Amino acid sequence: MRHPIFFFILLTGYIFSTGMQAIAQANKKHAFRITVLNTDGKPQIGMIMKIGNSATEYTSDEQGLIEFEHEINPKNIRTANFYFPEDKKKAARTLRLDETANDTIIRIDSQDDLIKYKQSGKTFPVSGILKNEGRPVVHAEIIIQGTGRNAFSDAEGKFSIEADYNHTIMIRAEKMENCYLDVNKFLQNPDEPYLINMIRKGADRIYSNVEQMPEYPGGMKAFFQYIRRKARTAELAEQTQKEGAVIVQFVVEKDGSITSPHIARSVDARLDTAALEAIIVMRDWIPAKDHGITVRCKYSVPVPFKLPEPQKTEKQSETVISVPEPDDSLHTDSLTNDSIVKKMPEPVLDISANDTLKNDSTAGNPLPTDFVQTIQEKNSRIQQADSLPADSTLQAPSQPATEIKPKKRNFFVRFFRWLFGIKDKEKESISPSAINEPEKSIEKETSDK
């Protein structure tokens, strides 16, 4: 019974150790030597290289050499981006860091180099190899448009020709779609022939618009969920403080696989790299169909990078409705308010020491204290009003007696009043003497007491 258990333990340990060794070997750091030159073979000094989303920078020396170590993981291949020192935002070239890139020479021309080449009309020897589905394309014609220079591919599909920066290279072969290239494609790796995959007319044609366009399994909603997770769009947008949609274009093959992915519209080097890497390792799509036949189709997708919205840490304060304070005029004495001053002044009640209103012990019936205080307060207010200047608007002007006219009656009422001898009362008037009436009534009431 012990032997099977012992054997099982040994087998488990062997599998575990083998797996760990495979992981360690896969993640083993490799030494890279990348030399950056221009088309003339001169070193590009000071070129800056970044790996993926890393902030670490490497700079080319006087020989244009960049040496570094990096882990190679077949499941997650990184991309190296190269920048000119004067422009660190736009990548001039990208390179996949796989085992074939351990010792690589790349050609990058600056704007000054391109202007010089175009003005001089200098030509460069270029070479390539033409294939279709792995088979060489024989006797294809390679033409430098506008110059009259041409060449033909041999039995292995190879060719060589003098090209320049001012003219396009056109390749045409029987039963094949025409191919158009520029000289940069050939000069990136001048020591090796540039591989060109020719496309057969009809069956292997790449369509742009078909009846049934290619589709990501689960629809575009599932695609954007995958992009957000794989490209870490929100995190990278927050790190770079940049927003935008990177447009990636690729070809969906007949079997649903993704080929020829490239950036159609750039936003930022780090965002572009993240978007491209997510597309490269993307699962197969549902291929396109035209008239019921599965075809190859060119497709473009946006990879949006958007800054996350700031989270509200505190509740929004409740809306406070500010109520204006009451007008100061409401707290002031009635005599200082113009609208009140225009009214008729209150009667002056003179309460002096000799008046009978004095609360004296000799009086038969002394007045209540509250009553006396009330009258004294009114007197003080009237005296303050009298102390104002004569031309002040606070002074109440003396007005003649106002005649109160009786209400005019209609014809029938007047007729019956005349018939029965009913006469109207005499016209009443309000005169300043009527103002003292309240004072007399108060004096009379006091004397009665």
Side-chain angles (χ1 to χ4, degrees):
M1 187 66 181
R2 294 180 179 178
H3 297 288
I5 296 175
F6 180 73
F7 177 76
F8 177 75
I9 293 173
L10 288 178
L11 181 60
T12 304
Y14 174 76
I15 295 173
F16 178 75
S17 61
T18 304
M20 293 299 295
Q21 290 177 2
I23 294 173
Q25 186 176 2
N27 296 333
K28 183 180 178 180
K29 289 188 176 181
H30 291 256
F32 289 87
R33 289 173 53 88
I34 299 176
T35 305
V36 186
L37 307 175
N38 65 1
T39 302
D40 285 337
K42 296 180 180 179
Q44 291 285 17
I45 303 173
M47 289 295 295
I48 298 172
M49 189 196 76
K50 294 181 181 180
I51 300 174
N53 298 324
S54 175
T56 306
E57 296 182 356
Y58 302 91
T59 306
S60 61
D61 58 15
E62 295 180 354
Q63 287 76 34
L65 179 63
I66 300 176
E67 294 182 317
F68 61 97
E69 289 186 352
H70 184 70
E71 295 179 356
I72 294 180
N73 186 353
K75 295 182 179 180
N76 189 12
I77 297 176
R78 294 292 181 181
T79 304
N81 301 312
F82 296 86
Y83 305 87
F84 284 103
E86 60 273 10
D87 188 3
K88 294 183 179 181
K89 295 182 179 180
K90 185 178 180 181
R93 176 78 185 276
T94 60
L95 178 67
R96 294 187 66 181
L97 296 179
D98 52 16
E99 295 181 355
T100 60
N102 289 348
D103 193 356
T104 306
I105 299 175
I106 61 175
R107 307 279 177 164
I108 303 177
D109 294 318
S110 65
Q111 291 296 328
D112 294 337
D113 294 332
L114 295 176
I115 293 172
K116 182 180 67 175
Y117 298 149
K118 289 181 179 180
Q119 289 178 351
S120 64
K122 184 178 180 180
T123 62
F124 305 92
V126 298
S127 61
I129 181 169
L130 306 177
K131 289 190 176 182
N132 172 252
E133 296 181 355
R135 296 189 298 269
V137 179
V138 182
H139 202 68
E141 186 178 10
I142 298 90
I143 302 171
I144 308 299
Q145 290 185 325
T147 64
R149 297 193 298 268
N150 66 338
F152 294 90
S153 61
D154 58 15
E156 296 179 355
K158 295 181 180 180
F159 69 91
S160 61
I161 194 171
E162 291 286 329
D164 58 69
Y165 277 94
N166 295 317
H167 301 92
T168 304
I169 302 172
M170 184 183 74
I171 304 173
R172 63 186 182 186
E174 188 178 357
K175 299 181 180 179
M176 299 291 173
E177 297 283 352
N178 291 345
C179 182
Y180 299 88
L181 300 169
D182 55 36
V183 70
N184 274 329
K185 299 289 186 181
F186 297 89
L187 296 178
Q188 289 178 2
N189 295 293
D191 299 333
E192 297 180 1
Y194 180 64
L195 178 60
I196 304 169
N197 290 312
M198 301 294 290
I199 301 172
R200 186 177 295 276
K201 290 183 179 179
D204 293 334
R205 176 185 174 185
I206 299 177
Y207 292 81
S208 298
N209 294 304
V210 293
E211 290 182 347
Q212 183 179 337
M213 295 296 289
E215 184 180 357
Y216 184 82
M220 294 307 294
K221 183 177 180 181
F223 169 77
F224 286 118
Q225 290 176 353
Y226 162 78
I227 286 295
R228 284 193 296 269
R229 181 181 69 257
K230 189 67 178 178
R232 299 181 294 119
T233 56
E235 181 181 347
L236 286 179
E238 188 174 7
Q239 290 178 4
T240 59
Q241 289 298 308
K242 291 184 179 180
E243 290 184 329
V246 178
I247 305 299
V248 183
Q249 191 176 78
F250 50 87
V251 176
V252 181
E253 300 292 342
K254 293 181 180 181
D255 59 355
S257 61
I258 304 301
T259 60
S260 305
H262 63 278
I263 302 297
R265 189 179 73 183
S266 174
V267 174
D268 177 77
R270 294 180 64 183
L271 305 185
D272 297 349
T273 301
L276 191 59
E277 290 179 351
I279 296 298
I280 289 173
V281 298
M282 184 171 51
R283 62 184 298 188
D284 292 347
W285 282 46
I286 301 172
K289 289 186 177 182
D290 191 55
H291 299 287
I293 301 173
T294 303
V295 296
R296 306 170 72 202
C297 185
K298 186 184 296 184
Y299 202 78
S300 300
V301 293
V303 180
F305 292 87
K306 185 177 181 181
L307 289 170
E309 296 181 359
Q311 298 180 354
K312 296 181 181 179
T313 55
E314 297 180 359
K315 294 183 178 179
Q316 293 182 348
S317 58
E318 296 181 358
T319 306
V320 179
I321 302 176
S322 59
V323 180
E325 295 184 359
D327 192 357
D328 292 339
S329 62
L330 299 179
H331 296 287
T332 56
D333 195 275
S334 61
L335 293 175
T336 61
N337 193 333
D338 294 342
S339 61
I340 299 177
V341 170
K342 292 180 182 179
K343 294 183 180 180
M344 188 173 293
E346 295 183 3
V348 179
L349 303 180
D350 188 12
I351 307 295
S352 61
N354 298 325
D355 288 336
T356 58
L357 293 177
K358 185 176 179 182
N359 189 9
D360 193 21
S361 60
T362 58
N365 295 319
L367 292 174
T369 305
D370 296 342
F371 180 76
V372 174
Q373 289 179 353
T374 303
I375 296 177
Q376 289 177 351
E377 289 177 358
K378 290 186 176 182
N379 280 342
S380 63
R381 292 166 59 188
I382 301 300
Q383 290 172 4
Q384 290 177 3
D386 293 341
S387 64
L388 296 174
D391 59 348
S392 173
T393 58
L394 299 179
Q395 183 176 1
S398 60
Q399 296 179 355
T402 305
E403 184 176 313
I404 301 176
K405 296 182 180 180
K407 185 177 180 181
K408 188 175 181 180
R409 301 178 177 87
N410 58 28
F411 173 78
F412 295 101
V413 174
R414 283 184 288 161
F415 174 76
F416 282 107
R417 290 179 66 86
W418 172 80
L419 182 64
F420 293 101
I422 300 173
K423 297 181 178 180
D424 293 335
K425 293 182 181 180
E426 295 182 356
K427 298 178 181 179
E428 297 178 355
S429 62
I430 300 175
S431 62
S433 61
I435 299 174
N436 296 328
E437 297 251 357
E439 181 181 359
K440 292 180 181 180
S441 61
I442 293 174
E443 291 179 355
K444 183 178 180 180
E445 183 181 352
T446 305
S447 63
D448 292 340
K449 290 182 179 181

